[in-house]
Amino acid sequence: MNNDIIVDSAILNIKDTLENGQFFRYSQLGGVYTVRTLDKVAILYERGDKVIIENEDKAYFHNFFDLDTDYAAIKQSLYTLPLMKDAIDHAPALRILRQDAFETVINFIISANNHIQRIKAIIERLCAGGAFPTLTALAARPIEFYRSLGAGYRDNYLYNTAQILGNNHAIINSIRDMDTPAAIKALTALSGVGPKVADCILLFGYYRMDTFPVDTWIKKVYKDIYGDVSNTSVMRSKLISTYGDLSGYAQQYLFYNKRG
DNA sequence: AGCCAGGCCTCAA
DNA sequence: TTGAGGCATGGC
């Protein structure tokens, strides 16, 4: 008897779920993926038509990989909406991870105007090969620590946000009880968090599907639908009106399909 | 070599 | 409230 989680590979595709830009703390060697979040580790690989998730916290990773959500129903609802057929067919077993909110705040501050490979490297240095640092630990770090990560001008954002959250640990959880506009307002009060990063935090760190992060790739997608781009907040509103309460899922299918 | 990256901040008007 | 300009770093 062991602690493995075993799911059908038609339900969870490892590569499409981990390498779609929602998550950064993974490594891959010979098709075996190592996932790190908080102080936890999971090993994922395919065996036949199954995916094996070796782990030491079954309940945590069952939730992390969103295994109680019926993606067949979600995909069916989205399938006839603009651009969704190709995007869903490109990654039919992609799932949205239920990530830790604080870790997501830090990671997506780093993500702004950055490349995914470099984002991963910066986060790796932040974690120094071990657990994701706690809020208390980060709040105790001086600015020099953040400069040493090679995060560029984002070092000040990280330092300032660690100070803000360190002085009020309740902020992260209080956002769970807010409606989305209030949550965006609270998040953008943090340093280095603008509208797009706030949407990413809500989608990936709070599993809010009534959000639609608009980045450079989604702007290309928008152009495919409407023929032109416009003001970012206008595009966001139109996209959410198109995809409704499933916007978060739609956004991730579209992002991954466009970026490849 | 120059452009670009899951954009944000500051500062005008 | 909105829009331009600046911005560290590194992959391509």
PDB file of all heavy atoms in Angstrom, chain A residues 164-196:
ATOM      1  N   ILE A 164       4.338  44.829   3.064  1.00  0.00           N
ATOM      2  CA  ILE A 164       2.899  45.081   3.237  1.00  0.00           C
ATOM      3  C   ILE A 164       2.202  43.854   3.832  1.00  0.00           C
ATOM      4  O   ILE A 164       1.456  43.964   4.814  1.00  0.00           O
ATOM      5  CB  ILE A 164       2.260  45.433   1.877  1.00  0.00           C
ATOM      6  CG1 ILE A 164       2.793  46.776   1.366  1.00  0.00           C
ATOM      7  CG2 ILE A 164       0.732  45.479   1.996  1.00  0.00           C
ATOM      8  CD1 ILE A 164       2.440  47.067  -0.086  1.00  0.00           C
ATOM      9  N   LEU A 165       2.459  42.700   3.254  1.00  0.00           N
ATOM     10  CA  LEU A 165       1.797  41.479   3.731  1.00  0.00           C
ATOM     11  C   LEU A 165       2.335  41.049   5.095  1.00  0.00           C
ATOM     12  O   LEU A 165       1.596  40.497   5.911  1.00  0.00           O
ATOM     13  CB  LEU A 165       1.975  40.355   2.705  1.00  0.00           C
ATOM     14  CG  LEU A 165       1.285  40.571   1.355  1.00  0.00           C
ATOM     15  CD1 LEU A 165       1.603  39.429   0.405  1.00  0.00           C
ATOM     16  CD2 LEU A 165      -0.226  40.712   1.544  1.00  0.00           C
ATOM     17  N   GLY A 166       3.605  41.304   5.321  1.00  0.00           N
ATOM     18  CA  GLY A 166       4.196  40.957   6.613  1.00  0.00           C
ATOM     19  C   GLY A 166       3.592  41.764   7.749  1.00  0.00           C
ATOM     20  O   GLY A 166       3.509  41.288   8.884  1.00  0.00           O
ATOM     21  N   ASN A 167       3.155  42.974   7.422  1.00  0.00           N
ATOM     22  CA  ASN A 167       2.535  43.820   8.432  1.00  0.00           C
ATOM     23  C   ASN A 167       1.050  43.538   8.591  1.00  0.00           C
ATOM     24  O   ASN A 167       0.401  44.093   9.481  1.00  0.00           O
ATOM     25  CB  ASN A 167       2.738  45.296   8.067  1.00  0.00           C
ATOM     26  CG  ASN A 167       4.173  45.728   8.281  1.00  0.00           C
ATOM     27  OD1 ASN A 167       4.847  45.255   9.194  1.00  0.00           O
ATOM     28  ND2 ASN A 167       4.657  46.614   7.426  1.00  0.00           N
ATOM     29  N   ASN A 168       0.504  42.724   7.725  1.00  0.00           N
ATOM     30  CA  ASN A 168      -0.913  42.359   7.827  1.00  0.00           C
ATOM     31  C   ASN A 168      -1.146  40.999   7.185  1.00  0.00           C
ATOM     32  O   ASN A 168      -1.565  40.898   6.034  1.00  0.00           O
ATOM     33  CB  ASN A 168      -1.776  43.434   7.155  1.00  0.00           C
ATOM     34  CG  ASN A 168      -3.259  43.178   7.343  1.00  0.00           C
ATOM     35  OD1 ASN A 168      -3.660  42.132   7.887  1.00  0.00           O
ATOM     36  ND2 ASN A 168      -4.075  44.102   6.902  1.00  0.00           N
ATOM     37  N   HIS A 169      -0.888  39.965   7.949  1.00  0.00           N
ATOM     38  CA  HIS A 169      -0.998  38.601   7.422  1.00  0.00           C
ATOM     39  C   HIS A 169      -2.419  38.242   7.003  1.00  0.00           C
ATOM     40  O   HIS A 169      -2.624  37.264   6.296  1.00  0.00           O
ATOM     41  CB  HIS A 169      -0.512  37.597   8.481  1.00  0.00           C
ATOM     42  CG  HIS A 169       0.976  37.588   8.658  1.00  0.00           C
ATOM     43  ND1 HIS A 169       1.713  36.423   8.671  1.00  0.00           N
ATOM     44  CD2 HIS A 169       1.870  38.597   8.795  1.00  0.00           C
ATOM     45  CE1 HIS A 169       2.999  36.722   8.836  1.00  0.00           C
ATOM     46  NE2 HIS A 169       3.115  38.030   8.929  1.00  0.00           N
ATOM     47  N   ALA A 170      -3.392  39.006   7.453  1.00  0.00           N
ATOM     48  CA  ALA A 170      -4.792  38.656   7.175  1.00  0.00           C
ATOM     49  C   ALA A 170      -5.202  38.975   5.750  1.00  0.00           C
ATOM     50  O   ALA A 170      -6.244  38.490   5.279  1.00  0.00           O
ATOM     51  CB  ALA A 170      -5.706  39.379   8.151  1.00  0.00           C
ATOM     52  N   ILE A 171      -4.409  39.781   5.056  1.00  0.00           N
ATOM     53  CA  ILE A 171      -4.819  40.225   3.718  1.00  0.00           C
ATOM     54  C   ILE A 171      -5.072  39.043   2.792  1.00  0.00           C
ATOM     55  O   ILE A 171      -6.107  38.983   2.113  1.00  0.00           O
ATOM     56  CB  ILE A 171      -3.748  41.155   3.107  1.00  0.00           C
ATOM     57  CG1 ILE A 171      -3.688  42.476   3.879  1.00  0.00           C
ATOM     58  CG2 ILE A 171      -4.043  41.412   1.618  1.00  0.00           C
ATOM     59  CD1 ILE A 171      -2.579  43.412   3.421  1.00  0.00           C
ATOM     60  N   ILE A 172      -4.145  38.103   2.751  1.00  0.00           N
ATOM     61  CA  ILE A 172      -4.235  36.997   1.796  1.00  0.00           C
ATOM     62  C   ILE A 172      -5.548  36.239   1.952  1.00  0.00           C
ATOM     63  O   ILE A 172      -6.235  35.957   0.968  1.00  0.00           O
ATOM     64  CB  ILE A 172      -3.039  36.033   1.974  1.00  0.00           C
ATOM     65  CG1 ILE A 172      -1.737  36.717   1.530  1.00  0.00           C
ATOM     66  CG2 ILE A 172      -3.266  34.747   1.192  1.00  0.00           C
ATOM     67  CD1 ILE A 172      -1.635  36.941   0.046  1.00  0.00           C
ATOM     68  N   ASN A 173      -5.915  35.909   3.179  1.00  0.00           N
ATOM     69  CA  ASN A 173      -7.152  35.146   3.368  1.00  0.00           C
ATOM     70  C   ASN A 173      -8.402  36.007   3.260  1.00  0.00           C
ATOM     71  O   ASN A 173      -9.463  35.511   2.864  1.00  0.00           O
ATOM     72  CB  ASN A 173      -7.123  34.423   4.714  1.00  0.00           C
ATOM     73  CG  ASN A 173      -6.361  33.115   4.614  1.00  0.00           C
ATOM     74  OD1 ASN A 173      -6.348  32.472   3.563  1.00  0.00           O
ATOM     75  ND2 ASN A 173      -5.704  32.726   5.693  1.00  0.00           N
ATOM     76  N   SER A 174      -8.276  37.286   3.597  1.00  0.00           N
ATOM     77  CA  SER A 174      -9.463  38.147   3.533  1.00  0.00           C
ATOM     78  C   SER A 174      -9.950  38.277   2.091  1.00  0.00           C
ATOM     79  O   SER A 174     -11.147  38.476   1.849  1.00  0.00           O
ATOM     80  CB  SER A 174      -9.148  39.531   4.111  1.00  0.00           C
ATOM     81  OG  SER A 174      -8.251  40.231   3.279  1.00  0.00           O
ATOM     82  N   ILE A 175      -9.049  38.138   1.138  1.00  0.00           N
ATOM     83  CA  ILE A 175      -9.422  38.270  -0.271  1.00  0.00           C
ATOM     84  C   ILE A 175     -10.388  37.165  -0.698  1.00  0.00           C
ATOM     85  O   ILE A 175     -11.212  37.356  -1.587  1.00  0.00           O
ATOM     86  CB  ILE A 175      -8.143  38.292  -1.139  1.00  0.00           C
ATOM     87  CG1 ILE A 175      -7.423  39.631  -0.931  1.00  0.00           C
ATOM     88  CG2 ILE A 175      -8.441  38.042  -2.617  1.00  0.00           C
ATOM     89  CD1 ILE A 175      -6.061  39.716  -1.559  1.00  0.00           C
ATOM     90  N   ARG A 176     -10.308  36.017  -0.013  1.00  0.00           N
ATOM     91  CA  ARG A 176     -11.218  34.917  -0.365  1.00  0.00           C
ATOM     92  C   ARG A 176     -12.678  35.315  -0.204  1.00  0.00           C
ATOM     93  O   ARG A 176     -13.547  34.809  -0.916  1.00  0.00           O
ATOM     94  CB  ARG A 176     -10.952  33.696   0.531  1.00  0.00           C
ATOM     95  CG  ARG A 176      -9.604  33.082   0.344  1.00  0.00           C
ATOM     96  CD  ARG A 176      -9.416  31.833   1.197  1.00  0.00           C
ATOM     97  NE  ARG A 176      -7.999  31.542   1.351  1.00  0.00           N
ATOM     98  CZ  ARG A 176      -7.228  31.028   0.396  1.00  0.00           C
ATOM     99  NH1 ARG A 176      -7.760  30.739  -0.768  1.00  0.00           N
ATOM    100  NH2 ARG A 176      -5.951  30.821   0.594  1.00  0.00           N
ATOM    101  N   ASP A 177     -12.950  36.195   0.747  1.00  0.00           N
ATOM    102  CA  ASP A 177     -14.332  36.556   1.054  1.00  0.00           C
ATOM    103  C   ASP A 177     -14.816  37.769   0.265  1.00  0.00           C
ATOM    104  O   ASP A 177     -15.962  38.184   0.418  1.00  0.00           O
ATOM    105  CB  ASP A 177     -14.470  36.839   2.548  1.00  0.00           C
ATOM    106  CG  ASP A 177     -14.093  35.631   3.394  1.00  0.00           C
ATOM    107  OD1 ASP A 177     -14.395  34.503   2.956  1.00  0.00           O
ATOM    108  OD2 ASP A 177     -13.490  35.811   4.473  1.00  0.00           O
ATOM    109  N   MET A 178     -13.941  38.335  -0.556  1.00  0.00           N
ATOM    110  CA  MET A 178     -14.323  39.526  -1.328  1.00  0.00           C
ATOM    111  C   MET A 178     -14.910  39.128  -2.676  1.00  0.00           C
ATOM    112  O   MET A 178     -14.559  38.088  -3.230  1.00  0.00           O
ATOM    113  CB  MET A 178     -13.088  40.407  -1.574  1.00  0.00           C
ATOM    114  CG  MET A 178     -12.406  40.905  -0.322  1.00  0.00           C
ATOM    115  SD  MET A 178     -10.940  41.884  -0.761  1.00  0.00           S
ATOM    116  CE  MET A 178     -10.223  42.128   0.878  1.00  0.00           C
ATOM    117  N   ASP A 179     -15.774  39.994  -3.205  1.00  0.00           N
ATOM    118  CA  ASP A 179     -16.171  39.789  -4.594  1.00  0.00           C
ATOM    119  C   ASP A 179     -14.986  40.179  -5.480  1.00  0.00           C
ATOM    120  O   ASP A 179     -14.005  40.742  -4.998  1.00  0.00           O
ATOM    121  CB  ASP A 179     -17.442  40.568  -4.938  1.00  0.00           C
ATOM    122  CG  ASP A 179     -17.287  42.068  -4.772  1.00  0.00           C
ATOM    123  OD1 ASP A 179     -16.144  42.573  -4.840  1.00  0.00           O
ATOM    124  OD2 ASP A 179     -18.305  42.751  -4.583  1.00  0.00           O
ATOM    125  N   THR A 180     -15.078  39.848  -6.756  1.00  0.00           N
ATOM    126  CA  THR A 180     -13.906  40.007  -7.613  1.00  0.00           C
ATOM    127  C   THR A 180     -13.422  41.452  -7.749  1.00  0.00           C
ATOM    128  O   THR A 180     -12.215  41.693  -7.660  1.00  0.00           O
ATOM    129  CB  THR A 180     -14.179  39.365  -8.989  1.00  0.00           C
ATOM    130  OG1 THR A 180     -14.340  37.944  -8.787  1.00  0.00           O
ATOM    131  CG2 THR A 180     -13.032  39.602  -9.950  1.00  0.00           C
ATOM    132  N   PRO A 181     -14.294  42.430  -7.929  1.00  0.00           N
ATOM    133  CA  PRO A 181     -13.791  43.814  -7.996  1.00  0.00           C
ATOM    134  C   PRO A 181     -13.050  44.238  -6.729  1.00  0.00           C
ATOM    135  O   PRO A 181     -12.000  44.877  -6.804  1.00  0.00           O
ATOM    136  CB  PRO A 181     -15.065  44.644  -8.210  1.00  0.00           C
ATOM    137  CG  PRO A 181     -16.013  43.705  -8.871  1.00  0.00           C
ATOM    138  CD  PRO A 181     -15.722  42.354  -8.267  1.00  0.00           C
ATOM    139  N   ALA A 182     -13.575  43.873  -5.569  1.00  0.00           N
ATOM    140  CA  ALA A 182     -12.907  44.221  -4.313  1.00  0.00           C
ATOM    141  C   ALA A 182     -11.580  43.487  -4.188  1.00  0.00           C
ATOM    142  O   ALA A 182     -10.584  44.037  -3.690  1.00  0.00           O
ATOM    143  CB  ALA A 182     -13.811  43.890  -3.132  1.00  0.00           C
ATOM    144  N   ALA A 183     -11.565  42.242  -4.634  1.00  0.00           N
ATOM    145  CA  ALA A 183     -10.326  41.461  -4.572  1.00  0.00           C
ATOM    146  C   ALA A 183      -9.257  42.074  -5.469  1.00  0.00           C
ATOM    147  O   ALA A 183      -8.079  42.149  -5.088  1.00  0.00           O
ATOM    148  CB  ALA A 183     -10.605  40.017  -4.980  1.00  0.00           C
ATOM    149  N   ILE A 184      -9.654  42.525  -6.639  1.00  0.00           N
ATOM    150  CA  ILE A 184      -8.693  43.170  -7.549  1.00  0.00           C
ATOM    151  C   ILE A 184      -8.154  44.444  -6.917  1.00  0.00           C
ATOM    152  O   ILE A 184      -6.952  44.731  -6.988  1.00  0.00           O
ATOM    153  CB  ILE A 184      -9.369  43.463  -8.910  1.00  0.00           C
ATOM    154  CG1 ILE A 184      -9.606  42.143  -9.653  1.00  0.00           C
ATOM    155  CG2 ILE A 184      -8.518  44.414  -9.747  1.00  0.00           C
ATOM    156  CD1 ILE A 184     -10.418  42.284 -10.921  1.00  0.00           C
ATOM    157  N   LYS A 185      -9.027  45.189  -6.271  1.00  0.00           N
ATOM    158  CA  LYS A 185      -8.587  46.426  -5.619  1.00  0.00           C
ATOM    159  C   LYS A 185      -7.584  46.124  -4.510  1.00  0.00           C
ATOM    160  O   LYS A 185      -6.562  46.812  -4.372  1.00  0.00           O
ATOM    161  CB  LYS A 185      -9.805  47.171  -5.055  1.00  0.00           C
ATOM    162  CG  LYS A 185      -9.468  48.540  -4.492  1.00  0.00           C
ATOM    163  CD  LYS A 185     -10.729  49.305  -4.119  1.00  0.00           C
ATOM    164  CE  LYS A 185     -10.375  50.693  -3.581  1.00  0.00           C
ATOM    165  NZ  LYS A 185     -11.573  51.465  -3.196  1.00  0.00           N
ATOM    166  N   ALA A 186      -7.868  45.085  -3.736  1.00  0.00           N
ATOM    167  CA  ALA A 186      -6.956  44.715  -2.645  1.00  0.00           C
ATOM    168  C   ALA A 186      -5.616  44.230  -3.188  1.00  0.00           C
ATOM    169  O   ALA A 186      -4.554  44.553  -2.644  1.00  0.00           O
ATOM    170  CB  ALA A 186      -7.601  43.645  -1.769  1.00  0.00           C
ATOM    171  N   LEU A 187      -5.663  43.465  -4.256  1.00  0.00           N
ATOM    172  CA  LEU A 187      -4.419  42.917  -4.811  1.00  0.00           C
ATOM    173  C   LEU A 187      -3.570  43.994  -5.475  1.00  0.00           C
ATOM    174  O   LEU A 187      -2.345  44.003  -5.347  1.00  0.00           O
ATOM    175  CB  LEU A 187      -4.735  41.795  -5.799  1.00  0.00           C
ATOM    176  CG  LEU A 187      -5.167  40.473  -5.164  1.00  0.00           C
ATOM    177  CD1 LEU A 187      -5.739  39.524  -6.210  1.00  0.00           C
ATOM    178  CD2 LEU A 187      -3.992  39.815  -4.433  1.00  0.00           C
ATOM    179  N   THR A 188      -4.222  44.910  -6.191  1.00  0.00           N
ATOM    180  CA  THR A 188      -3.451  45.944  -6.871  1.00  0.00           C
ATOM    181  C   THR A 188      -2.905  46.978  -5.889  1.00  0.00           C
ATOM    182  O   THR A 188      -2.115  47.839  -6.287  1.00  0.00           O
ATOM    183  CB  THR A 188      -4.279  46.637  -7.970  1.00  0.00           C
ATOM    184  OG1 THR A 188      -5.503  47.114  -7.403  1.00  0.00           O
ATOM    185  CG2 THR A 188      -4.577  45.679  -9.110  1.00  0.00           C
ATOM    186  N   ALA A 189      -3.296  46.896  -4.638  1.00  0.00           N
ATOM    187  CA  ALA A 189      -2.679  47.734  -3.610  1.00  0.00           C
ATOM    188  C   ALA A 189      -1.297  47.217  -3.251  1.00  0.00           C
ATOM    189  O   ALA A 189      -0.515  47.916  -2.608  1.00  0.00           O
ATOM    190  CB  ALA A 189      -3.558  47.789  -2.363  1.00  0.00           C
ATOM    191  N   LEU A 190      -1.007  45.993  -3.652  1.00  0.00           N
ATOM    192  CA  LEU A 190       0.333  45.438  -3.444  1.00  0.00           C
ATOM    193  C   LEU A 190       1.273  45.987  -4.507  1.00  0.00           C
ATOM    194  O   LEU A 190       0.861  46.360  -5.598  1.00  0.00           O
ATOM    195  CB  LEU A 190       0.298  43.909  -3.516  1.00  0.00           C
ATOM    196  CG  LEU A 190      -0.639  43.219  -2.523  1.00  0.00           C
ATOM    197  CD1 LEU A 190      -0.686  41.716  -2.792  1.00  0.00           C
ATOM    198  CD2 LEU A 190      -0.185  43.489  -1.088  1.00  0.00           C
ATOM    199  N   SER A 191       2.557  46.005  -4.187  1.00  0.00           N
ATOM    200  CA  SER A 191       3.553  46.537  -5.120  1.00  0.00           C
ATOM    201  C   SER A 191       3.855  45.523  -6.209  1.00  0.00           C
ATOM    202  O   SER A 191       4.100  44.352  -5.923  1.00  0.00           O
ATOM    203  CB  SER A 191       4.816  46.878  -4.343  1.00  0.00           C
ATOM    204  OG  SER A 191       5.810  47.382  -5.208  1.00  0.00           O
ATOM    205  N   GLY A 192       3.829  45.976  -7.441  1.00  0.00           N
ATOM    206  CA  GLY A 192       4.120  45.083  -8.563  1.00  0.00           C
ATOM    207  C   GLY A 192       2.920  44.293  -9.037  1.00  0.00           C
ATOM    208  O   GLY A 192       3.057  43.421  -9.893  1.00  0.00           O
ATOM    209  N   VAL A 193       1.748  44.579  -8.463  1.00  0.00           N
ATOM    210  CA  VAL A 193       0.514  43.899  -8.880  1.00  0.00           C
ATOM    211  C   VAL A 193      -0.392  44.900  -9.571  1.00  0.00           C
ATOM    212  O   VAL A 193      -0.953  45.779  -8.934  1.00  0.00           O
ATOM    213  CB  VAL A 193      -0.221  43.261  -7.689  1.00  0.00           C
ATOM    214  CG1 VAL A 193      -1.492  42.562  -8.168  1.00  0.00           C
ATOM    215  CG2 VAL A 193       0.685  42.293  -6.954  1.00  0.00           C
ATOM    216  N   GLY A 194      -0.507  44.773 -10.874  1.00  0.00           N
ATOM    217  CA  GLY A 194      -1.440  45.576 -11.657  1.00  0.00           C
ATOM    218  C   GLY A 194      -2.622  44.714 -12.049  1.00  0.00           C
ATOM    219  O   GLY A 194      -2.794  43.599 -11.524  1.00  0.00           O
ATOM    220  N   PRO A 195      -3.434  45.174 -12.965  1.00  0.00           N
ATOM    221  CA  PRO A 195      -4.647  44.438 -13.344  1.00  0.00           C
ATOM    222  C   PRO A 195      -4.377  43.027 -13.850  1.00  0.00           C
ATOM    223  O   PRO A 195      -5.116  42.096 -13.490  1.00  0.00           O
ATOM    224  CB  PRO A 195      -5.247  45.300 -14.463  1.00  0.00           C
ATOM    225  CG  PRO A 195      -4.642  46.639 -14.289  1.00  0.00           C
ATOM    226  CD  PRO A 195      -3.314  46.452 -13.662  1.00  0.00           C
ATOM    227  N   LYS A 196      -3.380  42.868 -14.676  1.00  0.00           N
ATOM    228  CA  LYS A 196      -3.131  41.550 -15.257  1.00  0.00           C
ATOM    229  C   LYS A 196      -2.625  40.573 -14.222  1.00  0.00           C
ATOM    230  O   LYS A 196      -3.088  39.421 -14.146  1.00  0.00           O
ATOM    231  CB  LYS A 196      -2.142  41.683 -16.422  1.00  0.00           C
ATOM    232  CG  LYS A 196      -1.947  40.402 -17.203  1.00  0.00           C
ATOM    233  CD  LYS A 196      -0.860  39.547 -16.577  1.00  0.00           C
ATOM    234  CE  LYS A 196      -0.725  38.222 -17.308  1.00  0.00           C
ATOM    235  NZ  LYS A 196       0.296  37.371 -16.670  1.00  0.00           N
TER     236      LYS A 196
END
